[in-house]
Amino acid sequence: MKYLCLVYSDEKLLHSLPDSPKDEECFAYAASVQNSGRMLAAEALQPIDTATTVRVRAGKTLLTDGPFAETKEQLAGFYLVEAKDLNEAIQLAAGIPAARVGSVEVRPVRQLEV
Amino acid sequence: MNSRVTAETISALYQQESRRVLATLIRLLGDFELAEEALQEAFACALQQWPVDGLPEQPRAWLVSTGRFKAIDKIRQQQSQRKYQQQWLFEQDEDIEAFQADEPNSQNWQDDELRLIFTCCHPALSTEAQIALTLREICGLTTEQIAKAFLTSPVTIAQRIVRAKNKIRDAAIPYEIPAAEQLPQRLDVVLKVIYLLFNEGYSQSSGDQLLCAELSAQAIRLGYLLLELQPDTETMGLLALLLLQESRRTARIDQQGDLILLADQNRSLWDQALIQQGVQLVERSLTGRRIGPYGLQAAIAALHAESPDATSTDWPQIVALYDLLYRFEASPVVLLNRAVAISMAQGPAVALPLLQALEQGGELSQYHLLDAALADIHQKLGLPQQARFYYQQALNKTSQQAEQRFLQKKLETLS
């Protein structure tokens, strides 16, 4: 099964807490998931200042500056993994270094019925 | 084959075997909903066939295989839906030999009950969902019974159960016994569910008394089942704690439904048989390696259970056990209980500063039992005015009617 692990954290604190992971550590973990053959994709994101929200209403494309919702913790990155079940996905998510300072939401991917 | 099978025989068998059959069907079919329907169908077939053909040699195996084939039929009928599941089942069909090797009474079948317990109590489900699922799937209570016990509507409970089952299916929560390194942590979740279940049946003073007693009885039954399937010292400790609390069920409430404190209870009403079972388990659990909070609380309960009255209770020993408990659970509630034990062991004057420190700490500012303890200590120290103040505080903080009546009575005796 595919699971999307959404990494949320308070952007202002993500890199400044004593437990904050360094880029090297994040990279090393991603490499280890890659080597285990369970990685489909993973990226870190630019801060929400760079976000643009797109909506299409009545055929018109509407743009807003900023993220979809103002929340206490912001989406900071994601992992798309292949796991045998939720337990394995949780284990992978728990290894993401940013989980120490933020939260990781684990969501199963839905198969489109076509 | 035995030729005399009545509906009563089958009904008794349902009581005994239905949960085990369900547990195995869930594994074989990979779906809770489907397994439950299959279980009902299998028993419907048994009602038709057994009185005619006689009891099969292995009723449980007969029920599992009948249920499984009924489910496969059903899926074939609804071919367009549930595509992936169908495929999965037929893959299994090709592996008929493996199914036959999966014999009843084998370890695999035994483990199905444990799989069911760990799946219903999976930490990815909310506590509320864990409890509802446990009662429905493992204890076999109806949605109506669960709703009544939790003073809510059957619709709410049904939704909660459906949502949980959907999550198990869609997020692929595995139907398995956790790996060794995960086991202690996962076992703790199961123990917590059993404990909450028990308390729900024990601490409610309003509501259906019979149903409440049934909830607590189910929790104790689950404790025994878990202990049998997965021997563990903390499970033993929890079970002992439940038995010892249960032994006081009739003594802790008077005829008006008002609470009676441990010190004031008529100890001849305590159930000695339950106490004996509880104390034996405590003794066994204390020799085990994984001593933990439940075992320690049970040890404290055992000291109460074994003393003829409050004053001759071994309070210094209880204080020592609370000290140990605090190492596992550094919570202010443990400190509060410890302070109360110290007041019994060394007098209220020694306990007062401990309680005042807790009051200043502020963590228990909404906890009425701290105020009640402060009130009691002040009363014992001959300070009725402060006692009244704290009883009033406690009264403002609880919404439980029996507790309100209890505190009200205390206030009246003071004025």
Side-chain angles (χ1 to χ4, degrees):
Chain A
M1 278 203 32
K2 285 180 199 159
Y3 294 85
L4 183 61
C5 304
L6 297 154
V7 181
Y8 288 91
S9 74
D10 185 333
E11 281 185 351
K12 286 184 226 78
L13 299 174
L14 179 59
H15 300 291
S16 55
L17 291 170
D19 244 1
S20 290
K22 299 265 173 299
D23 279 3
E24 292 79 29
E25 190 190 353
C26 297
F27 187 82
Y29 183 66
S32 78
V33 178
Q34 179 79 47
N35 290 338
S36 75
R38 287 173 299 186
M39 169 86 88
L40 296 169
E43 299 292 350
L45 302 178
Q46 293 284 0
I48 53 165
D49 293 350
T50 62
T52 309
T53 302
V54 182
R55 292 180 179 82
V56 179
R57 298 289 182 271
K60 269 193 199 148
T61 302
L62 310 170
L63 301 183
T64 349
D65 176 24
F68 164 65
E70 295 286 348
T71 46
K72 228 174 110 193
E73 295 193 312
Q74 297 82 31
L75 189 60
F78 69 88
Y79 273 71
L80 182 64
V81 297
E82 178 69 42
K84 139 168 117 19
D85 53 39
L86 184 64
N87 285 0
E88 203 177 274
I90 288 172
Q91 213 187 343
L92 286 169
I96 299 175
R100 295 198 305 259
V101 288
S103 351
V104 184
E105 179 178 331
V106 179
R107 292 275 292 271
V109 167
R110 180 167 75 92
Q111 297 289 337
L112 293 180
E113 287 169 27
V114 284
Chain B
M1 288 218 181
N2 182 343
S3 60
R4 287 171 46 84
V5 185
T6 60
E8 285 77 44
T9 321
I10 298 176
S11 162
L13 228 123
Y14 186 89
Q15 291 287 328
Q16 244 174 48
E17 297 286 356
S18 70
R19 297 299 114 189
R20 289 179 177 165
V21 173
L22 178 71
T24 298
L25 282 172
I26 295 172
R27 172 168 56 85
L28 294 174
L29 298 170
D31 186 286
F32 271 70
E33 225 44 70
L34 203 59
E36 248 163 68
E37 284 168 30
L39 172 74
Q40 302 309 328
E41 295 245 16
F43 271 97
C45 279
L47 271 171
Q48 280 183 347
Q49 289 189 20
W50 293 0
V52 183
D53 300 345
L55 195 68
E57 255 174 74
Q58 292 192 312
R60 192 163 145 202
W62 189 97
L63 289 162
V64 168
S65 94
T66 307
R68 182 168 176 274
F69 285 117
K70 288 278 169 194
I72 292 174
D73 279 351
K74 194 168 169 156
I75 289 173
R76 285 194 173 125
Q77 282 163 16
Q78 314 172 330
Q79 280 199 339
S80 60
Q81 292 162 356
R82 294 179 170 179
K83 257 185 248 164
Y84 77 98
Q85 218 171 48
Q86 191 192 349
Q87 204 184 355
W88 191 83
L89 271 176
F90 294 145
E91 275 165 18
Q92 273 218 328
D93 257 1
E94 287 160 17
D95 209 3
I96 284 279
E97 269 176 47
F99 176 64
Q100 281 165 344
D102 191 34
E103 269 178 31
N105 309 323
S106 72
Q107 189 60 38
N108 217 359
W109 282 48
Q110 292 244 327
D111 288 350
D112 284 336
E113 283 181 279
L114 259 187
R115 287 190 182 95
L116 184 58
I117 292 174
F118 280 110
T119 307
C120 290
C121 299
H122 195 279
L125 302 171
S126 72
T127 306
E128 281 183 334
Q130 291 168 358
I131 291 175
L133 263 189
T134 298
L135 284 172
R136 178 75 200 87
E137 308 300 327
I138 307 169
C139 305
L141 263 60
T142 64
T143 312
E144 286 73 21
Q145 284 173 313
I146 302 169
K148 226 172 160 186
F150 286 86
L151 309 174
T152 173
S153 74
V155 179
T156 309
I157 295 293
Q159 279 173 343
R160 200 173 288 168
I161 292 175
V162 167
R163 215 177 297 139
K165 284 183 188 161
N166 287 348
K167 181 164 184 184
I168 291 173
R169 190 190 59 219
D170 297 338
I173 290 178
Y175 194 62
E176 66 181 25
I177 301 165
E181 72 270 16
Q182 293 282 331
L183 199 57
Q185 219 180 340
R186 291 286 306 275
L187 202 53
D188 283 344
V189 180
V190 179
L191 296 182
K192 190 180 159 208
V193 167
I194 296 177
Y195 192 47
L196 288 173
L197 200 57
F198 178 85
N199 276 331
E200 196 61 42
Y202 192 75
S203 60
Q204 270 186 26
S205 51
S206 56
D208 189 329
Q209 286 304 313
L210 269 178
L211 209 62
C212 286
E214 173 63 19
L215 276 192
S216 295
Q218 287 287 1
I220 289 173
R221 225 168 289 155
L222 261 175
Y224 272 117
L225 176 66
L226 188 62
L227 191 58
E228 188 194 314
L229 295 170
Q230 181 75 55
D232 172 85
T233 354
E234 265 295 82
T235 308
M236 218 178 271
L238 173 65
L239 183 56
L241 180 62
L242 302 191
L243 290 166
L244 291 165
Q245 291 193 13
E246 184 66 20
S247 75
R248 306 198 291 258
R249 177 177 287 275
T250 46
R252 85 214 148 100
I253 286 177
D254 68 15
Q255 284 176 336
Q256 285 80 46
D258 288 354
L259 295 175
I260 306 173
L261 287 185
L262 189 61
D264 305 325
Q265 287 174 13
N266 175 357
R267 298 189 179 209
S268 68
L269 293 176
W270 289 1
D271 186 324
Q272 289 304 321
L274 290 176
I275 290 178
Q276 217 182 338
Q277 290 172 51
V279 168
Q280 272 174 8
L281 281 169
V282 170
E283 283 165 0
R284 275 173 60 199
S285 85
L286 288 176
T287 62
R289 254 185 290 168
R290 202 174 89 99
I291 177 105
Y294 290 120
L296 291 168
Q297 289 177 76
I300 294 168
L303 285 175
H304 286 300
E306 286 178 313
S307 32
D309 53 60
T311 39
S312 58
T313 304
D314 188 350
W315 291 105
Q317 180 72 17
I318 289 182
V319 173
L321 285 167
Y322 274 121
D323 283 336
L324 259 179
L325 183 58
Y326 189 74
R327 285 199 218 158
F328 287 95
E329 263 183 36
S331 90
V333 174
V334 174
L335 290 181
L336 169 60
N337 289 326
R338 180 179 172 272
V340 172
I342 284 182
S343 109
M344 295 301 287
Q346 302 171 37
V350 185
L352 183 61
L354 301 173
L355 289 175
Q356 284 167 336
L358 279 171
E359 191 187 14
Q360 277 151 21
E363 277 181 278
L364 296 179
S365 65
Q366 288 312 308
Y367 193 56
H368 67 282
L369 291 181
L370 172 59
D371 297 284
L374 276 161
D376 184 57
I377 292 275
H378 280 103
Q379 192 178 356
K380 282 180 179 150
L381 290 169
L383 300 162
Q385 213 175 339
Q386 283 91 329
R388 224 179 346 253
F389 168 78
Y390 283 113
Y391 274 130
Q392 191 58 55
Q393 292 270 84
L395 194 55
N396 297 342
K397 289 175 193 172
T398 178
S399 56
Q400 237 225 359
Q401 287 182 0
E403 303 227 341
Q404 285 174 345
R405 285 198 301 273
F406 172 80
L407 293 165
Q408 200 71 56
K409 248 193 270 176
K410 285 279 180 189
L411 269 172
E412 281 159 21
T413 54
L414 273 171
S415 52

